[in-house]
Amino acid sequence: MKQSQFYFKTRKEVSKEEIAISASLLIRTNFIEKLTSGIYNFLPLGLRTIKKIEGIVREEIEAVEGQEILMALLNPKRNWEQTGRWSTFKALFKTQSRYGQWFALAPTHEEVITPMVKNFIFSYKDLPLYLFHISNKFRDEPRSKSGILRGKEFIMKDLYSFHTDEKDLEKYYEKVKKAYQRIFKRCGLKTFVVEASGGTFSRFSHEFQVITPAGEDKFYYCSSCKFCRNKEIAENIKKCPECGNTLKMFKGSEVGNIFKLKDKYSKAFDLKFRDKDGKNKNVMMGCYGIGISRLLGVIVEANYDKDGIIWPKEVAPFAYHLLSLSSGNTKIDKIIKKQADLFYKKMIHKGIEVLYDDRNDVSSGEKLVDADLLGLPYRVVISEKTMKNRKFELRERRNRKVKLLKLSDFDKIIKGR
Ligand code: ATP
Ligand code: MG
C-alpha cells in the first residue's frame, strides 16, 4: 500500500474528551474515527487490524471445532420476552418499526441461537454442537468514555456450545479456556484468568483480564499460587483463599468472558434432546465471548511508548514500513526513489505486507515521526546517507535496534518472511 494513495494522515491533536490512551493514539493515526460517544468508524488501518484479530480468533475457535455462522442483529421482541430479558436487560436498545412491531438490537445472541438450533437438535446424536459468530453488538452503555474499550456498538465474537450433560460442557469449557489463552498470546497480550460471578447457574464464570490503568475492573491476584478473582464478587478478601498468601490488586480490562449457561436458555426455549435411554432432557449450554474491537484498544494500551504504538507482529496492519527520505537534491532523490520503488516491488512480489511512505510533499522528519507513531514492527529506510554506502536501514520498532545492511542483502532479509 502506497501512503501517497492511502487514506492516511496522522493528527497532532485529539479532542480532550478522549481520555483513553488507546482512543487518542488510534484516532491520531487514523485507525478509527469517532461518530459520537461510544460509536466509532473503522478506517483502512483499523479495519486491517480488526481483520487480523478476527483471523486469529477464527483459527483458534475453528481448532476447537467451532463452526462459523452469522446471525441477525435485528431481533423480534417475542424472543426477548421469552427469556424475560426484554424488561430485565437494562442496556437493551429497542426500536419500533413504522408498522408497530418492536425489535431489539442484539446485545448478545442466546435469544436467537437457542430457538435456531431447535431445528437441528433432536437426539443425543446431534450433540455436541459448537457455533460461533463475529459481528456487531449493541448495548446502551451508561459510561462510554473509554473509546473503543466500551462502545455502544462494538464487535464481538460469541461462541455457543450445546451438550448432552454437564460433564461434556465442563470438558469443552476447559478446552475453550486454553484456546482463549492462545488467542490473547498471539495478540501480544498477557492475560489473567479471573474467577467472576457465574450468575445464578454457575458458581463462577471466567474473565480474561489484561492489566492496564485504562481498565474498568479490579481483581485480586496471588503471586504464589496464581489465584485470581474479580473484586466485584469478592469484597475485602485480604489473604488468598487457596494458599493464604497476601493478595495484590490490579486494574484490568476484560477481553473475554466464558460462562456455563447450563439449562438456563434451553429451559426458556424448551430445547430438548432424546437421550440414549429414550428420555427427553434439557440441552446443556455454554457461551464464550471475546471483545474484538475492545481487543484493538487493549492491544494499544499494552503496547505503546512516548513516540506511539508498538504493534505486536501478528496483529500489525502491515509488517513493514518502507520509507524513502528525500535529500533535497533532485538527482539523488531520483536514485532514492528508484531503490525504494524496487524494494516495494520485491516485497509485494513476496506477499509481504508493506506500507510504503512514498509521499514527496512530506519532510523526512515528519515521515520518521509518523512511522514511530504508527508503530509497524519493522521500518526500512532508504536515504541519501544509506545510499552513499549502497545500504539500507532496518529498524525494529519494539527495541529500536537499527541495522545498516547492504542493498544486496535485502533479498535474504525478506526471504521466508
Ligand atoms: P463488561 O464486564 O466489560 O461490561 P460484559 O461482561 O458485559 O462486559 P460479555 O457479555 O461477557 O461482556 O461480552 C463478551 C466480551 O465483549 C467482553 O468480555 C468484552 O471484552 C466485550 N464487551 C462487552 N461489552 C463491551 C462494550 N460495551 N464495548 C466493547 N466491548 C465490550
Ligand atoms: Mg463480562
Side-chain angles (χ1 to χ4, degrees), residues 207 254 257 259:
E207 297 173 345
E254 179 199 306
N257 202 180
F259 266 94

Side-chain angles (χ1 to χ4, degrees), residues 6-9 11 26-27 29-34 40-50 296 317:
F6 195 53
Y7 184 1
F8 175 88
K9 226 185 192 111
R11 300 187 199 182
L26 288 168
I27 290 172
T29 47
N30 262 331
F31 275 64
I32 60 171
E33 191 233 9
K34 187 180 193 162
Y40 290 82
N41 295 313
F42 295 92
L43 301 179
L45 288 171
L47 186 59
R48 277 183 82 94
T49 314
I50 287 284
L296 173 65

Side-chain angles (χ1 to χ4, degrees), residues 323-388:
L323 273 57
S324 64
L325 303 185
S326 68
S327 65
N329 174 317
T330 327
K331 219 170 113 193
I332 298 171
D333 283 352
K334 252 195 188 152
I335 298 169
I336 291 171
K337 186 177 179 314
K338 204 171 151 205
Q339 188 61 48
D341 280 355
L342 179 68
F343 273 15
Y344 181 63
K345 245 169 109 180
K346 283 187 171 183
M347 287 167 117
I348 295 291
H349 184 69
K350 271 257 163 211
I352 288 175
E353 292 178 302
V354 52
L355 182 65
Y356 175 19
D357 196 346
D358 61 335
R359 296 174 296 173
N360 43 31
D361 55 345
V362 174
S363 75
S364 300
E366 250 176 284
K367 282 190 181 183
L368 291 167
V369 169
D370 274 0
D372 269 354
L373 186 60
L374 193 60
L376 302 181
Y378 298 101
R379 191 185 76 186
V380 170
V381 169
I382 314 277
S383 66
E384 183 183 9
K385 204 175 92 193
T386 68
M387 285 303 284
K388 238 187 230 160

Side-chain angles (χ1 to χ4, degrees), residues 54 66 127-128 140 179 225 252 294 307 330 334 361 375 392 403:
E54 285 180 3
L127 295 165
D140 197 355
C225 76
R294 178 179 289 177
D307 295 323
T330 327
K334 252 195 188 152
D361 55 345
F392 69 96
K403 281 186 199 157

